[in-house]
Amino acid sequence: MNIRKTHGALLSRLLPDDEPDALTVRQGQFHNVVLGADRVVCLPRTRAAAARLPERVAALQVLAGLDLGFRTPEPLFQGGDHGADEVPFLVLTRIPGEPLRADALNDPRVAGTVAAQYATLVGGLARAGTDATVRAVLPQAPPDQWGRFAQSVRAELFRLMSDSGRLRAERELAALDGLPHLTRAVVHGDLGAENVLWEWTDGLPHLAGVLDWDEVALGDPAEDLAAIGAGYGVELLERVLALGGLPNHGLTTRIAAIRGTFALQQALYAIRDGDQEELADGLADYR
């Protein structure tokens, strides 16, 4: 689908100062994102994603009021109706910067700088989890989060897997047994490398902002740390943990268990949202 053509009239109205051919379109798990010079238009890919827009706006508003040490997208206005003919949308401020290239970490100075800033990021989210305003707005991870997740994977995804895929999934789900119920920190929920933006000054990257807060909740910081490890490898994760000062209490075990379920999480969200492309990608190693 050519988003710039199919939604040309809407984009011209929402991004009047941008040339249509200059717009960049990126596909996320839940939204197609159109990047203007200083605004971003989020177009939900499914009805379920559209229905979640008001919750996303509320979360972004409360995050914008915090001093996290980095920028988060601020909602400007929302429109459309997921049950009507008009396309639903959300317009956000655009944060400057680009995702960090993986090969940038080959420079020891860069790797050290990135690890320190990730440690600051995770620490800031942990402190934000104690803010009363934040706790009043953001949802809490339910006590049976992982048990319900495992049950849902078996009920909704196992029929799409091969025998060997089901055995692999069972091993990954078994690692979740006994994970503690923690809600002490703000958890981004999808802290992959593509959602963290950096700007370069004097040859070193500086954290500019974090995007895509669709899954933000009060939960276990191990979820975000697992995403950092998945994006940049064990060595960087270990440096972040050494600098972060988070209490261990089985933290590394929790990180490993949660990281092992990332593909299953992607597939489960996708099948519920009717997103066949994301579903196929998530289940690629289980078929």
Side-chain angles (χ1 to χ4, degrees), residues 223-241:
E223 294 187 48
D224 285 343
L225 289 162
I228 294 170
Y232 293 110
V234 174
E235 184 176 346
L236 183 79
L237 174 61
E238 289 177 345
R239 297 181 74 165
V240 173
L241 291 173

Side-chain angles (χ1 to χ4, degrees), residues 3-70:
I3 298 297
R4 285 177 295 191
K5 288 185 178 180
T6 56
H7 300 300
L10 175 64
L11 294 174
S12 295
R13 176 161 59 90
L14 299 177
L15 303 171
D17 297 328
D18 294 281
E19 291 294 329
D21 291 341
L23 297 173
T24 299
V25 179
R26 294 178 180 167
Q27 180 176 301
Q29 183 172 351
F30 301 111
H31 302 90
N32 290 309
V33 180
V34 184
L35 304 177
D38 57 7
R39 291 181 174 186
V40 174
V41 178
C42 298
L43 301 169
R45 297 181 62 192
T46 65
R47 288 181 177 273
R52 291 193 295 267
L53 284 181
E55 297 173 10
R56 189 183 190 202
V57 169
L60 289 174
Q61 287 173 335
V62 74
L63 290 169
L66 300 175
D67 182 15
L68 293 172
F70 56 87

